[in-house]
């Protein structure tokens, strides 16, 4: 933790941008001044002429971008270099990650290096700046962010921060694209006993853990009559499981893989794991190994990929069941222990335990903590939706006076017209007059039926319908019906917890591209940036998901739904050509060809440290 000196600060220029350093208390005590290290992408400026302070009048404006994911990279790549903006990107992760292929990287179908792109490449091509640092605070009124350098050498041997490792950056416009973080929904034991699956480090860890379990079984099968002296590098799990005569029940437990969450990420991870086991491991290791392997996927919904078209969800669920992937559907997770997941049936409430060797949490996201700080920095009442930053139709964050924009998973567009439509639909079903006096109150099913009529015009209402079950009881009367006043309150509460658009790479990419075109069109003019000349409209281009054995499902709007091997070809082609650089296209293509011809690189996989 750093300690800021309240009465001492000095302004310096780091990489051409005016920032404010904050010396630590140890520095004041006389500790030698630490040199500036590589946490910033440029050396310190030598002359005042290189500084780019936040603009106070007309001319070039400074745009600070937070993040290096889909929204941030799409914005940076789409914004022309000749526009009147000086761009600074701040992110502790100095690369872009192609997240749709993360499950493939976890099992060796593609290499990790193939789906990452250095963030400095698009930045340096346009002469802009990049800081390898994390934004830790935002002062919306002062138009200033506080950053902490990501360089681990910024800390001394006692954990104290170097005097220069925190700094402030001023901005004219802030583009927040920090994404979201995994949501545990308060389930006990998730953080301690589950892997998350959102970053490249998670894929690497998954790959190592699977390697550990496979080695465990192979070695245990060989050690039937003698002990082996284990080296100090073998971890505790190896040591327990590689003893002679390991019981079959213990081996089965170790090789049970549980994926919690049956959305696209969870489904594709389970599918890739299935392929690895039955296409590669089964060919290279004794056949006695395979019966011990079990892949399970748990979800509260009745179908996997429940957010997709019903025909896709049904096909994918049936495909998994025929592939012997155990689908534990309609089950909620109430606890994750060190060796078992405790699940409860959504209908009966009956609980049971699912032992596992490895559990991966792929169930939901929540607001990034940095966005909470942004909300707290804005005027009270402007940010009621605590799930994401509420924005207008031009992605301007409400309450920021047009100085803060948000894209991707951290943003949601307020849709007041859809809420007005919902009120209108209720009044029509309940036969209400203009004053809101209704002849009848509606039951839950009647409310759902009424709102469903408006889904085609306002797709956001579908998500409202799907979330009424959790809120209805709190607003219903003793007869199990809801008055117009109760419905209005329930609708507000439900809507405040929802996103107007799904949290997908497709949405973030389109928002980043739109925001770049909006900035370019306004040419730095503050009045135009506050205007409503255009508005963001999401164009859904389809849904894809890999389900294993070279098969996939694809929902292509205006065309058809494709399932099976044909959809698998579409999936592989799309994920290859959608890479952000020609380099990555060639790397991913070569990985897919290599995997198809020679299988996953199990030898390297097994020897990775």
């Amino acid at each position: 933790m750093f300690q800021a000196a309240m009465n001492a600060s000095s302004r310096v220029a780091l990489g051409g941008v005016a920032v404010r350093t904050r010396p630590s208390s140890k520095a004041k005590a006389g500790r030698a001044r630490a040199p500036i290290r590589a946490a910033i992408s440029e050396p310190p400026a030598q002359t005042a002429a290189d500084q780019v302070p936040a603009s106070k009048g007309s001319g070039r404006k400074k745009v600070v971008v937070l993040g290096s994911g889909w929204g941030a990279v799409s914005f940076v790549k789409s914004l022309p270099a000749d526009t009147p903006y000086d761009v600074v990107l701040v992110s502790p992760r100095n690369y872009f990650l192609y997240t749709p292929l993360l499950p493939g990287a976890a099992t060796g179908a593609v290499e990790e290096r193939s789906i990452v792109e250095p963030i400095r490449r698009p930045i340096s091509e346009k002469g802009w700046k990049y800081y390898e640092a994390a934004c830790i605070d935002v002062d919306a009124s002062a138009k200033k962010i506080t950053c902490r350098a990501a360089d681990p050498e910024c800390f001394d041997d006692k954990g104290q921060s170097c005097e220069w490792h925190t700094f402030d950056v001023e901005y004219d416009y802030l583009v927040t694209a920090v994404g979201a973080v995994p949501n545990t929904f308060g389930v006990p034991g998730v953080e301690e006993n589950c892997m998350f699956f959102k970053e490249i480090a998670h894929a690497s860890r998954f790959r190592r853990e699977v390697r550990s379990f496979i080695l465990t079984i192979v070695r245990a099968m060989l050690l039937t009559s003698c002990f082996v002296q284990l080296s100090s590098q073998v971890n505790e799990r190896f040591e327990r499981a590689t003893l002679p005569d390991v019981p079959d029940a213990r081996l089965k437990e170790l090789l049970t893989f549980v994926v919690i969450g049956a959305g696209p990420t969870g489904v594709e991870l389970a599918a890739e794991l299935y392929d690895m086991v039955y296409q590669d491991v089964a060919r290279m290791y004794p056949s006695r190994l395979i019966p011990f392997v079990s892949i399970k996927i748990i979800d509260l919904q009745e179908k996997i990929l429940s957010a997709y078209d019903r025909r896709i969800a049904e096909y994918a669920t049936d495909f998994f069941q025929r592939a012997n992937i155990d689908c534990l559907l309609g089950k909620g997770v109430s606890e994750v222990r060190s060796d078992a997941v405790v699940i409860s049936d959504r209908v009966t409430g009956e609980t049971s335990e699912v032992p596992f060797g490895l559990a991966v949490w792929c169930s939901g996201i929540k607001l990034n903590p940095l966005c909470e700080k942004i909300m707290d920095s804005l005027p009270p009442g402007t940010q009621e939706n605590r799930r994401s930053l509420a924005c207008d139709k031009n992605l301007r964050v409400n309450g920021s006076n047009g100085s803060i924009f948000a894209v991707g998973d951290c943003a949601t567009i307020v849709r007041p017209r859809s809420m007005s439509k919902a009120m209108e639909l209720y009044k029509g079903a309940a036969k209400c007059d203009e004053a809101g006096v209704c002849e009848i109150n509606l039951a839950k099913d009647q409310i759902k039926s009424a709102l469903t009529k408006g889904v085609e015009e306002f797709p956001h209402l579908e998500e409202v319908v799907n979330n009424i079950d959790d809120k209805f009881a709190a607003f219903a009367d003793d007869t199990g019906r809801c008055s117009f006043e109760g419905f209005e309150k329930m609708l507000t509460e439900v809507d405040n917890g929802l996103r107007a658009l799904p949290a997908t790479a497709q949405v973030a990419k389109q928002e980043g591209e739109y925001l770049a075109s909006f900035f370019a069109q306004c040419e730095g003019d503050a009045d135009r940036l506050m205007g409503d000349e255009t508005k963001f409209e999401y164009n859904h281009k389809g849904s894809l998901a890999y389900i294993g054995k070279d098969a996939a499902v694809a929902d292509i709007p205006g065309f058809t739904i494709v399932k099976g091997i044909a959809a698998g070809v579409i999936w592989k082609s799309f994920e290859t050509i959608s890479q952000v650089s020609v380099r990555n296209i060639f790397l991913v293509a070569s990985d897919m060809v290599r995997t198809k011809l020679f299988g996953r690189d199990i030898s390297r996989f097994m020897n990775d440290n």
Side-chain angles (χ1 to χ4, degrees), residues 8 41 74 149 177 183 200 202 230 241 305 317 356 379 471 503-504 547 574 596:
S41 67
S74 297
N183 191 352
I200 195 68
H202 299 153
L230 300 177
L305 297 176
T317 303
F356 66 81
K471 301 290 184 181
T504 63
I547 57 175
F574 178 80
K596 188 61 179 176

Side-chain angles (χ1 to χ4, degrees), residues 152-180:
E153 295 187 28
C154 289
F155 298 87
D156 62 22
D157 56 0
K158 295 183 179 179
Q160 298 292 329
S161 60
C162 300
E163 65 176 89
W164 62 273
H165 99 283
T166 59
F167 54 92
D168 294 338
V169 181
E170 297 176 346
Y171 65 83
D172 290 303
Y173 298 103
L174 181 68
V175 177
T176 307
V178 293

